[in-house]
Amino acid sequence: MRNLLLLGLLLLATFFATSLQAHEFSTANLTLKQYSQDVHVGYIAVSVSDLHHTLNLDSKNDGELTWQELNQSHSKVTDYLSDHLVFSSGDQACEPEWGFDIALMDSYGETLLKQPLTLQCPTPINVNYSALFDTTSDHKLLLNWQVETGQAQTIIDGPNQPWQLTSGTQSAWDTFLFYLYQGMIHIWIGLDHILFVLTLLLHFVNKPIKPLSNDAKPISPVKLKSMIWLITGFTIAHSITLTLTSLGWISIPSKWAEVGIAISVAYSALNVMTHWVKQLMLMTVAFGLLHGLGFAGALTELGLSKSHQLTSIIGFNLGVEIGQVAIILAAIPFLWLLNKKEKVRKISVPLISVAILALGLMWVWQRV
């Protein structure tokens, strides 16, 4: 009975872990580029779900938000943004001009409304952003602003965080911290990456623990050092393709990169049960090269810092590695329980693997 209860808790935890959506990390993007001394052009992209939750854009109240309703709600959205995205220079307010050619874009699996804007304002420019913080948990604004002398980037994660754009170039340290954070976020909200890492960890527990003699030394049920070494191999591999793609040295259509990532998730889950590939490092490195192409797509969305390109890539890669180690540490208690309870392990590991295999195959079908 106790084993069944433990199995249920493990499967429930797995269900919630694999059901996490990118919406749990609400993120908006403000991207601007200086075209003349005082003119800046770009867009703000905000989650459609967040806007709907805050402004109730479903005019028909039928539970389905359509593109027509989004277009009809344009003035409501821009009025809201005008109140919560305030630009100024000194004591002078700078009113943005909102474009009408709105569009939808995908970011980390979340559908965003891309709202163009033009800003006429002399530097230094003060930015005060306060949208969605009172209605959406864990909301952040990623700000990416290209100016004539370089590039400025920051993260605004609270309503009382005014920020100023100057004519100077952002420091290498600030650039490093920005991309470090983005690397961690990308691995944590990328469900396909998380499941691939999870399948790698399951390889360590899908073998019975042999009984020990009385005088034998105990064997650690979870080989933390080996796990981190394997994940580091994954990081080194995806760092290669991420760097080469970000610098424009190789170019592969993002669609096929995403298909390859889905295949890697499905095959790694299948390998947990079959052990067809016994050299895990070889499989991890091979699939790591594919995942690097996916990470490069995320880095392309952010844009490399023109003045600190190498710093941007190093920070992003290190952030991904930190995120992966955090996933390992979070999974250790479950892996330990699986190794300790052989009956639970024999049932739960195949079930978890089959569930991940099914998700991987579904993604392959969707992405092809």
Side-chain angles (χ1 to χ4, degrees):
M1 184 67 181
R2 185 176 62 181
N3 289 340
L4 289 176
L5 179 60
L6 179 59
L7 173 60
L9 291 175
L10 284 170
L11 294 178
L12 185 62
T14 303
F15 171 79
F16 282 113
T18 56
S19 297
L20 289 175
Q21 300 295 325
H23 184 66
E24 296 297 324
F25 296 83
S26 170
T27 305
N29 298 280
L30 176 61
T31 301
L32 290 166
K33 182 178 180 180
Q34 184 178 12
Y35 274 87
S36 63
Q37 183 175 359
D38 297 337
V39 177
H40 307 263
V41 179
Y43 65 87
I44 181 171
V46 187
S47 166
V48 173
S49 297
D50 290 344
L51 287 173
H52 175 50
H53 176 68
T54 303
L55 302 176
N56 188 21
L57 305 180
D58 181 12
S59 58
K60 297 180 181 179
N61 293 318
D62 58 0
E64 295 184 5
L65 184 61
T66 64
W67 174 248
Q68 181 181 6
E69 288 173 322
L70 278 176
N71 273 299
Q72 292 174 345
S73 303
H74 182 253
S75 60
K76 181 187 290 188
V77 171
T78 54
D79 287 346
Y80 176 79
L81 292 175
S82 295
D83 291 338
H84 294 85
L85 179 59
V86 179
F87 301 95
S88 62
S89 180
D91 295 331
Q92 177 185 358
C94 303
E95 295 291 337
E97 296 180 12
W98 302 105
F100 290 93
D101 51 337
I102 61 174
L104 297 179
M105 60 182 289
D106 181 80
S107 178
Y108 301 140
E110 183 79 5
T111 301
L112 307 183
L113 179 66
K114 183 178 180 181
Q115 170 61 60
L117 67 91
T118 301
L119 181 69
Q120 187 167 355
C121 200
T123 54
I125 301 175
N126 301 308
V127 180
N128 198 319
Y129 176 79
S130 59
L132 303 175
F133 289 114
D134 55 345
T135 58
T136 307
S137 62
D138 198 26
H139 180 65
K140 294 175 179 60
L141 174 72
L142 308 183
L143 192 153
N144 191 333
W145 204 319
Q146 293 185 29
V147 294
E148 294 175 348
T149 56
Q151 188 171 15
Q153 295 160 312
T154 191
I155 301 169
I156 298 176
D157 57 6
N160 299 310
Q161 294 182 9
W163 179 80
Q164 186 177 79
L165 171 74
T166 63
S167 59
T169 301
Q170 187 168 341
S171 70
W173 177 246
D174 288 338
T175 301
F176 174 78
L177 292 179
F178 177 84
Y179 284 96
L180 180 77
Y181 173 83
Q182 288 306 306
M184 290 188 294
I185 288 297
H186 184 73
I187 191 68
W188 286 338
I189 67 179
L191 186 56
D192 46 6
H193 301 305
I194 291 176
L195 292 183
F196 180 75
V197 172
L198 179 59
T199 58
L200 294 180
L201 302 183
L202 287 177
H203 283 85
F204 287 87
V205 299
N206 197 31
K207 294 180 180 179
I209 300 178
K210 297 180 181 179
L212 303 173
S213 60
N214 294 333
D215 57 346
K217 295 181 180 180
I219 299 177
S220 173
V222 179
K223 299 178 180 178
L224 180 60
K225 185 177 180 180
S226 298
M227 289 179 180
I228 293 179
W229 174 243
L230 188 68
I231 297 303
T232 300
F234 175 58
T235 300
I236 293 173
H238 69 60
S239 298
I240 294 173
T241 47
L242 185 154
T243 302
L244 294 177
T245 305
S246 300
L247 295 177
W249 294 354
I250 62 174
S251 178
I252 296 177
S254 59
K255 172 184 176 180
W256 297 114
E258 293 300 320
V259 171
I261 291 172
I263 291 174
S264 74
V265 173
Y267 188 86
S268 185
L270 182 63
N271 197 65
V272 173
M273 299 178 286
T274 62
H275 297 290
W276 286 340
V277 178
K278 294 180 171 55
Q279 296 296 327
L280 284 182
M281 183 59 79
L282 293 178
M283 183 186 76
T284 302
V285 168
F287 286 142
L289 295 173
L290 280 173
H291 282 252
L293 299 173
F295 289 135
L299 195 53
T300 300
E301 287 184 10
L302 291 172
L304 279 179
S305 172
K306 293 185 177 180
S307 52
H308 304 291
Q309 278 194 348
L310 186 58
T311 302
S312 305
I313 295 172
I314 292 174
F316 191 85
N317 274 314
L318 185 57
V320 170
E321 174 71 355
I322 293 173
Q324 290 169 163
V325 172
I327 293 172
I328 294 176
L329 295 178
I332 287 296
F334 298 103
L335 299 175
W336 182 82
L337 287 173
L338 287 172
N339 248 346
K340 187 176 181 182
K341 300 293 184 180
E342 186 174 349
K343 292 182 180 179
V344 175
R345 175 178 52 77
K346 286 183 176 180
I347 299 175
S348 58
V349 171
L351 286 177
I352 294 172
S353 301
V354 168
I356 296 175
L357 172 62
L359 271 176
L361 292 176
M362 180 186 72
W363 287 332
V364 172
W365 175 260
Q366 291 176 343
R367 295 174 184 183
V368 168

